[in-house]
Amino acid sequence: MMNLRRSVALSAATALLGGGAALAAPAATAAPATGTTVAAVQDTSARGGWQKQWSSRISADYLKTHGKKWVSGVYRQPDWSNMARTTFRCSGGGQAKVTIKNIDSGKKASKKHDCNGRKHYATVAYRKGQHVRITLQTTKGKPKTTTVEAWAGN
């Protein structure tokens, strides 16, 4: 009987704390472009290493109809982070280039790679409150679906 009471009390406390944490968590700051599939924003309460903020799948059809280019919306990284990173993975041949730009400072980093199914990334520094934008551009061939991710780190 004692174990049952402890189990119920622990479950109630977990649910209560989990619900409070969800209410206290910041709203999603990512603003991927329209016409793309967006994965759910992950928990960013951990303060260390790299934390994925959002991801988006861009189809070959989207790139074909939008001048071989995809641009995310402008977004702000979490306050605990001072580095922004983007990764991309494409397959099906050709090449793609990803650029991450700090809108406020003008700093940017780009990476151009073959679409071979491997993950490639670019990283840029920023200060609290600054805004970031990611651009994906196919430069050669017709790659299939491409996945772009936004990461926060310190």
Side-chain angles (χ1 to χ4, degrees):
M1 190 68 171
M2 185 61 123
N3 287 338
L4 178 63
R5 278 190 233 153
R6 286 183 185 160
S7 177
V8 169
L10 183 59
S11 296
T14 302
L16 193 64
L17 289 174
L23 292 175
T29 56
T34 57
T36 59
T37 306
V38 178
V41 174
Q42 294 186 357
D43 180 20
T44 59
S45 59
R47 303 289 194 267
W50 291 97
Q51 299 291 320
K52 185 162 69 169
Q53 302 301 299
W54 55 266
S55 68
S56 186
R57 288 180 64 112
I58 300 104
S59 68
D61 290 337
Y62 180 89
L63 291 171
K64 183 179 177 183
T65 59
H66 289 83
K68 297 183 177 184
K69 189 175 185 179
W70 174 85
V71 180
S72 76
V74 175
Y75 66 97
R76 192 172 71 85
Q77 295 284 80
D79 290 342
W80 59 265
S81 175
N82 61 5
M83 298 291 288
R85 174 178 283 177
T86 183
T87 66
F88 77 99
R89 180 184 306 209
C90 58
S91 59
Q95 287 185 336
K97 175 182 170 184
V98 69
T99 303
I100 185 166
K101 182 176 182 181
N102 180 328
I103 300 297
D104 300 313
S105 72
K107 292 181 182 178
K108 63 182 176 179
S110 297
K111 292 291 180 171
K112 180 178 177 181
H113 287 282
D114 293 332
C115 290
N116 55 11
R118 293 185 181 150
K119 190 180 275 191
H120 308 286
Y121 65 91
T123 307
V124 68
Y126 70 97
R127 291 194 174 129
K128 182 177 173 180
Q130 291 182 328
H131 298 86
V132 180
R133 174 179 281 149
I134 297 172
T135 304
L136 175 79
Q137 193 164 9
T138 57
T139 57
K140 195 189 286 186
K142 296 179 182 176
K144 295 179 182 175
T145 301
T146 304
T147 303
V148 176
E149 299 173 343
W151 293 75
N154 53 3

